[in-house]
Amino acid sequence: MLYSLHHLAAPEGMAFTLEERQQLNIHGLLPPCFLGQDVQVFRVIKNFDRLTSDFDRYLLLMCLQDENEKLFYRVLISDIEKFMPIVYTPTVGLACQQYGLAYRRPRGLFISIHDRGHIATLLKSWPAETVKAVVVTDGERILGLGDLGSYGMGIPVGKLALYTACGGMNPQDCLPVTLDVGTENKELLKDPLYIGLRQKRVRGSDYDDFLDEFMEAVTSRYGMNCLIQFEDFANVNAFRLLEKYRNKYCTFNDDIQGTASVAVAGLLAALRITQKSLSDQTILFQGAGEAALGIANLIVMALEKEGISKEKAIEKIWLVDSKGLIVKRRASLTREKEKFVHEHHEMINLEDIVREIKPTVLIGVAAIGGAFTEQILKDMASFNERPIIFALSNPTSKAECSAEQCYQATEGRGIFASGSPFDPVTLPDGRTLYPGQGNNSYVFPGVALGVVACGLRHIPDKIFLTTAKVIAKEVSDKHLQEGRLYPPLNTIRDVSLKIAVKIVEESYLDKTATVYPEPQDKQAFVSSMVYSTDYDKILPDCYPWSQEAMKIQAINQF
């Protein structure tokens, strides 16, 4: 069946009315019962619950997305806390590793290095004439799993599913893209199911020219307001591409800026528990890559907003990379790392570093599973009444510690957040704590909705600080008592709407919005753009597909 039919039509299956069945000439091909969308959702959930593996559940939902997009999003929205771990972290990591098995139908564009010179023509393969948001990866650093090449397509597909489920973006306005320049993963090169180029990665000027052509082709076809989100690029490319493109295109890097925003949001919420200010903190990062440096830079911006000088703000932040503590006179430091060097002797062991620095906040973003040992957690609790411990690496296997390990080692005093979800933990004293999931899904859907709504041409860092403050504000005192540092996931659509409205308000104030006339009621303006999962009452006559094609499509739905 043509992909465009799956993507643009709104097949309703047994939800078709009698009149619609007659007009489509499918009366008799469907059972006589009329089932509303709520019953269809119930059927999907029943089938979902029968499955025993998350990978099989992922396949079920991806097939549903291909066959009945409105029902797919209605299912996700019905219980976002249940379904997000399947379409996003942690299951999407497993799905990427097995994408050769998961691949069913085209969902997104694969643009290879061999397409250089005619990317603009290739973009015309995408059936939608209008695209407002693109999520692109080159697959070199998928979560904490490394180079997965074209198997990384699961990330843009999953991210854009959350654009809609969590933020309300119209899925027809979204385009997932994988830029295939090869892979260094020897196992993939030998994998008979691998769907990408079987060659080593192209680097250097050829890579840069390829990226330049892609950016120019996207904005030439879809406009300078088209949002381009970079996802899971390796450190060596992520920072420099962000700096290269941020003032030329409407773009951001989620691993750098999205992670920073959600981490700072959790930190601001945690400070309400400790009753301390951000300027009172000493923050130690296990990791010095995209995520760590993005968070560190946003913390510096937040401190500057509080009146602290940049120099004093930097003094409060310490970084540990694979070679140990980042200090002056250490060789081979990147420009991004050099910003956070300190006058200190070199140290390698993390346990020793924690005892030496005595941080109030410990943040893990190096994808080293179990890096926060029991001794480190106990030490954090020994010099902090309420130690703040963020184990943000994804997927779950890469988390620096689990929620239970943190709470046990700190006698329930630890303030914990993680990148992947953890189950609630009941302490010996009978308290049950609900660990906060510092997931970027709190950030990028609302940011995308707001940016697209008001037509921003560029996305400054202050948007991510604004977003962090909105998220933190949505955490109630009751949530904090329960151990949550983020709003419950079942409220994420409301949070995303508030983020988008705040971005729109600030963009009109500083004259960066390009959509005019300026709407007087910003909330109503943004709300009017939110995608509806309700079925259209009937397929309009202007659809170009044959009645036979629509008939076959209709009887294959839930």
Side-chain angles (χ1 to χ4, degrees):
M1 196 57 53
L2 287 174
Y3 174 66
S4 56
L5 182 58
H6 285 284
H7 190 64
L8 298 177
E12 302 176 24
M14 291 180 68
F16 278 118
T17 65
L18 177 60
E19 180 184 5
E20 289 167 340
R21 297 181 189 201
Q22 290 171 337
Q23 290 191 20
L24 291 171
N25 198 26
I26 58 173
H27 183 51
L29 296 178
L30 293 174
C33 182
F34 299 94
L35 297 181
Q37 198 177 44
D38 289 342
V39 178
Q40 293 178 317
V41 169
F42 175 73
R43 178 187 288 163
V44 173
I45 294 174
K46 292 287 284 185
N47 278 292
F48 180 93
D49 289 339
R50 285 192 310 109
L51 300 175
T52 56
S53 82
D54 284 344
F55 183 63
D56 287 338
R57 295 184 180 113
Y58 175 87
L59 292 180
L60 171 71
L61 293 177
M62 291 305 101
C63 288
L64 177 61
Q65 187 179 19
D66 285 336
E67 294 171 347
N68 190 335
E69 198 163 55
K70 283 186 176 283
L71 182 58
F72 168 76
Y73 286 112
R74 176 62 68 90
V75 169
L76 261 57
I77 292 168
S78 71
D79 191 344
I80 196 71
E81 195 161 0
K82 176 175 184 153
F83 294 110
M84 185 187 289
I86 305 300
V87 300
Y88 193 48
T89 55
T91 307
V92 73
L94 174 62
C96 286
Q97 290 176 305
Q98 303 189 45
Y99 208 70
L101 288 173
Y103 183 81
R104 294 294 186 271
R105 290 171 175 157
R107 181 162 287 279
L109 282 180
F110 292 87
I111 303 176
S112 85
I113 189 70
H114 302 315
D115 295 315
R116 277 183 62 191
H118 54 90
I119 294 177
T121 301
L122 189 148
L123 286 176
K124 295 178 182 177
S125 301
W126 189 249
E129 292 294 324
T130 300
V131 168
K132 297 180 180 179
V134 173
V135 174
V136 59
T137 187
D138 71 353
E140 190 169 5
R141 192 203 61 82
I142 299 298
L143 302 175
L145 302 171
D147 187 347
L148 296 185
S150 274
Y151 276 4
M153 178 58 98
I155 296 297
V157 169
K159 289 279 183 178
L160 286 172
L162 297 189
Y163 265 46
T164 301
C166 300
M169 284 279 290
N170 189 326
Q172 296 179 25
D173 293 338
C174 300
L175 171 58
V177 174
T178 290
L179 301 177
D180 190 345
V181 297
T183 178
E184 303 299 330
N185 190 319
K186 295 179 181 179
E187 294 303 313
L188 289 185
L189 293 173
K190 295 186 294 185
D191 181 358
L193 294 177
Y194 184 57
I195 61 177
L197 294 179
R198 296 178 185 274
Q199 65 177 52
K200 296 292 186 180
R201 281 188 172 270
V202 172
R203 302 191 186 277
S205 60
D206 286 342
Y207 178 90
D208 288 350
D209 291 345
F210 179 54
L211 265 291
D212 286 345
E213 183 185 348
F214 168 73
M215 297 296 285
E216 290 168 9
V218 168
T219 50
S220 177
R221 178 163 175 77
Y222 301 121
M224 293 303 296
N225 288 355
C226 181
L227 169 62
I228 305 173
Q229 174 181 325
F230 278 65
E231 193 67 42
D232 287 357
F233 284 70
N235 290 350
V236 66
N237 290 318
F239 287 105
R240 67 183 190 87
L241 291 176
L242 177 60
E243 290 305 310
K244 182 177 184 178
Y245 295 136
R246 67 190 307 166
N247 294 320
K248 186 176 181 181
Y249 299 103
C250 179
T251 186
F252 73 98
N253 184 300
D254 185 50
D255 303 297
I256 299 172
Q257 295 160 292
T259 301
S261 187
V262 77
V264 170
L267 182 54
L268 294 176
L271 294 178
R272 288 167 53 192
I273 297 174
T274 64
Q275 297 294 301
K276 300 286 181 66
S277 69
L278 187 58
S279 58
D280 294 328
Q281 308 308 307
T282 299
I283 303 162
L284 177 65
F285 287 88
Q286 163 63 7
E290 298 167 50
L293 290 164
I295 299 167
N297 281 314
L298 199 62
I299 290 173
V300 169
M301 178 183 284
L303 285 166
E304 287 183 290
K305 293 283 186 182
E306 291 185 2
I308 308 297
S309 70
K310 178 175 286 190
E311 293 73 21
K312 291 292 184 183
I314 288 173
E315 288 177 5
K316 299 178 179 300
I317 297 171
W318 297 76
L319 302 177
V320 177
D321 65 8
S322 60
K323 296 181 178 63
L325 192 65
I326 291 179
V327 295
K328 289 183 178 178
R329 291 179 293 279
R330 218 190 75 180
S332 303
L333 288 176
T334 65
R335 181 171 60 87
E336 291 81 15
K337 292 180 183 180
E338 284 179 347
K339 179 177 176 180
F340 294 96
V341 298
H342 293 280
E343 191 67 61
H344 197 280
H345 61 274
E346 293 190 29
M347 300 183 71
I348 297 176
N349 182 270
L350 184 60
E351 288 187 357
D352 294 337
I353 294 170
V354 169
R355 292 193 196 98
E356 175 84 6
I357 303 300
K358 292 183 171 54
T360 58
V361 181
L362 180 61
I363 300 177
V365 280
I368 300 175
F372 295 170
T373 63
E374 183 179 8
Q375 186 60 53
I376 286 174
L377 297 172
K378 286 184 175 179
D379 286 341
M380 285 291 293
S382 71
F383 40 75
N384 293 293
E385 178 61 30
R386 300 300 305 270
I388 299 172
I389 297 164
F390 287 2
L392 298 181
S393 293
N394 283 314
T396 310
S397 61
K398 301 293 184 179
E400 288 74 14
C401 68
S402 69
E404 186 172 13
Q405 288 167 338
C406 173
Y407 294 140
Q408 286 183 348
T410 63
E411 300 175 333
R413 292 185 284 117
I415 302 172
F416 178 83
S418 58
S420 289
F422 283 103
D423 291 332
V425 177
T426 300
L427 302 177
D429 60 11
R431 286 184 299 149
T432 298
L433 298 177
Y434 298 82
Q437 185 186 355
N439 196 304
N440 292 18
S441 57
Y442 281 106
V443 175
F444 61 80
V447 168
L449 182 63
V451 166
V452 168
C454 64
L456 285 184
R457 292 286 178 89
H458 309 291
I459 306 176
D461 280 333
K462 67 178 183 178
I463 278 183
F464 297 97
L465 184 56
T466 294
T467 297
K469 291 178 178 178
V470 172
I471 296 168
K473 188 177 179 180
E474 292 303 305
V475 183
S476 68
D477 291 341
K478 181 176 183 295
H479 295 151
L480 295 176
Q481 292 170 6
E482 295 172 341
R484 303 180 192 268
L485 298 183
Y486 298 94
L489 277 174
N490 60 16
T491 68
I492 196 167
R493 283 173 67 85
D494 293 333
V495 175
S496 295
L497 181 62
K498 289 176 180 177
I499 291 169
V501 171
K502 190 66 173 176
I503 288 171
V504 169
E505 289 173 347
E506 292 187 353
S507 298
Y508 280 105
L509 281 174
D510 62 22
K511 308 298 183 185
T512 55
T514 64
V515 174
Y516 284 93
E518 178 181 348
Q520 295 304 305
D521 187 335
K522 307 295 192 295
Q523 181 161 336
F525 170 67
V526 175
S527 297
S528 70
M529 298 183 177
V530 172
Y531 174 73
S532 172
T533 60
D534 294 336
Y535 290 138
D536 299 325
K537 296 315 293 178
I538 192 165
L539 295 174
D541 294 335
C542 62
Y543 278 108
W545 308 296
S546 68
Q547 190 178 66
E548 179 183 359
M550 289 191 290
K551 181 192 301 184
I552 295 171
Q553 180 72 5
I555 64 178
N556 281 325
Q557 306 316 312
F558 283 84

